[in-house]
Amino acid sequence: VMLIDVLKGVLATSLYIALPFYLHNELQRTNLMIGLGLAAVLGHIFPIWAGFRGGKGVATLLGMAVAIQPVVAVCCLI
């Protein structure tokens, strides 16, 4: 189940690929990735269909970090 939460963060953060404008500007792409990842984390912590009572969101945050900066994420795990 934790692997699915990590993949949820990676997938949500990687949705920037659907917007071609963000593929050329690195700063705007990174900001969009952070926004998409935080939306996934908040959606995991406060799911609407569960009465806003969800998980802690740590694994989803790890997936977000892996998608944005894999080396930094591995260093944080160590």
Side-chain angles (χ1 to χ4, degrees):
V1 173
M2 188 178 279
L3 181 63
I4 294 171
D5 291 338
V6 172
L7 290 175
K8 182 190 330 181
V10 171
L11 179 67
T13 306
S14 300
L15 286 176
Y16 78 92
I17 296 171
L19 302 171
F21 171 75
Y22 291 100
L23 295 176
H24 303 293
N25 190 335
E26 186 176 352
L27 179 62
Q28 289 181 349
R29 180 180 65 227
T30 304
N31 287 338
L32 178 65
M33 291 173 76
I34 291 170
L36 292 170
L38 288 178
V41 171
L42 287 175
H44 183 81
I45 296 173
F46 303 111
I48 295 171
W49 57 88
F52 296 102
R53 292 183 308 264
K56 296 192 185 288
V58 176
T60 309
L61 187 64
L62 174 64
M64 178 181 138
V66 166
I68 296 173
Q69 285 289 330
V71 174
V72 173
V74 169
C75 290
C76 288
L77 287 175
I78 293 174

